[in-house]
Amino acid sequence: MRRVVRGERVQKVLARAGLASRRGAEGLIQAGRVTVDGRRAELGDRLLPGQELRLDGQPVEVAPPQRTLALHKPAGVVTSAADERGRRTVFDLVPPIPGLHPVGRLDRDTEGLLLLTTDGELTLQLTHPRFGHTKTYRAWCRGGTLAEAACAQLRQGVLLDDGPARALHARAAPGGVVLVLGEGRKRQVRRMLSAVGAPVQRLLRTHVGGLALGELASGEWRELGRRDFGRLGYTPGARPVPSTRARGRER
Ligand code: URA
């Protein structure tokens, strides 16, 4: 299939170059201060690869667009750039993109949805608990389906060695539990489930915010698009909420 190159809206490119806000860039275009290949740009014009963009006659350095991938991380793969023991890393599974880094981490034995991005702001928003982005996990436990009392304990909170931790939602699922967390401390799900006497056998992250792992096969990745960012609840320029109140949604 031939890939159609649609380019990127000129106002977006100007904003990414730090020359104006998206709205401000629209004003610059409407004021006739922007040209593409020497021709006055119109609102809605797209910049194609190789085209020259100028503001007030000065060339604008066009930064490459940010890229964000969703990977279905298999078990047995580490979430780091290089592993001193030579184990397979998540970077062995995705294309080599400069500046690409994982958004948080999953343990070597955890499977499921892992985002990798070049966008530092997206990483900050999705990993900082003050932005209230949730993560949903499906765990299969050694003792099988969790009892309601254990789910209630997870919702009320358990004491871990680095402080209390609670699930925003916890409900029994065949062979284990579904948990929604508003934070991501080291091995948090495994430690929380051990604390209620249900050690984890298999752990799968199914959602980051409202973005689902969906049909992505183990070891495969896909590039995120505009709708996906909506599902993630990622808003460039958003400010953290004043408390750790997370916008959890049970699934
Ligand atoms: N909690 C865990 O215990 N492990 C992970 O990989 C992610 C969350």
Side-chain angles (χ1 to χ4, degrees):
M1 195 173 62
R2 229 180 89 222
R3 199 159 162 223
V4 179
V5 180
R6 294 188 64 221
E8 197 176 3
R9 284 197 195 281
V10 169
Q11 60 262 40
K12 198 168 165 191
V13 177
L14 288 168
R16 208 174 56 250
L19 294 168
S21 64
R22 203 70 86 80
R23 189 62 66 74
E26 289 174 5
L28 295 174
I29 295 168
Q30 282 168 324
R33 295 171 58 187
V34 181
T35 57
V36 174
D37 281 351
R39 188 181 57 80
R40 182 179 159 165
E42 303 287 344
L43 211 55
D45 278 357
R46 291 175 180 273
L47 188 75
L48 298 170
Q51 285 190 316
E52 190 195 47
L53 182 66
R54 286 181 181 255
L55 170 64
D56 294 334
Q58 298 300 313
V60 174
E61 199 158 319
V62 179
Q66 302 285 11
R67 297 191 61 187
T68 301
L69 313 182
L71 170 71
H72 184 157
K73 178 191 166 307
V77 174
V78 296
T79 310
S80 61
D83 184 64
E84 68 285 355
R85 286 194 260 159
R87 294 175 296 187
R88 222 154 55 114
T89 83
V90 292
F91 289 94
D92 294 324
L93 301 172
V94 295
I97 298 170
L100 194 74
H101 59 270
V103 179
R105 50 195 307 123
L106 290 176
D107 300 335
R108 188 165 82 96
D109 291 327
T110 303
E111 306 159 47
L113 182 56
L114 178 73
L115 300 182
L116 296 108
T117 187
T118 56
D119 184 347
E121 187 184 356
L122 181 137
T123 306
L124 177 73
Q125 283 194 25
L126 293 185
T127 53
H128 198 301
R130 292 277 295 276
F131 284 93
H133 291 283
T134 59
K135 278 106 195 164
T136 305
Y137 297 89
R138 171 74 163 96
W140 287 262
C141 302
R142 262 193 237 150
T145 308
L146 237 69
E148 176 46 35
C151 292
Q153 208 181 331
L154 291 165
R155 293 191 297 265
Q156 277 150 22
V158 293
L159 190 58
L160 303 179
D161 51 13
D162 54 356
R166 60 179 282 271
L168 299 171
H169 300 282
R171 63 173 163 80
V177 64
V178 172
L179 279 182
V180 180
L181 300 187
E183 56 175 355
R185 279 142 60 184
K186 200 168 176 202
R187 300 179 73 80
Q188 186 168 343
V189 173
R190 293 173 195 277
R191 291 188 295 141
M192 287 175 75
L193 287 170
S194 288
V196 298
V200 167
Q201 238 170 8
R202 181 179 169 212
L203 185 57
L204 174 79
R205 182 153 74 190
T206 60
H207 295 76
V208 173
L211 183 73
L213 178 61
E215 299 298 303
L216 203 56
S218 181
E220 291 198 342
W221 61 272
R222 70 177 181 87
E223 186 122 22
L224 297 197
R226 197 153 50 92
R227 275 208 203 137
D228 296 309
F229 291 111
R231 291 192 180 110
L232 275 176
Y234 171 51
T235 316
R239 292 175 174 253
V241 292
S243 75
T244 51
R245 203 164 35 87
R247 293 169 288 149
R249 244 178 291 144
E250 186 148 21
R251 294 183 180 91

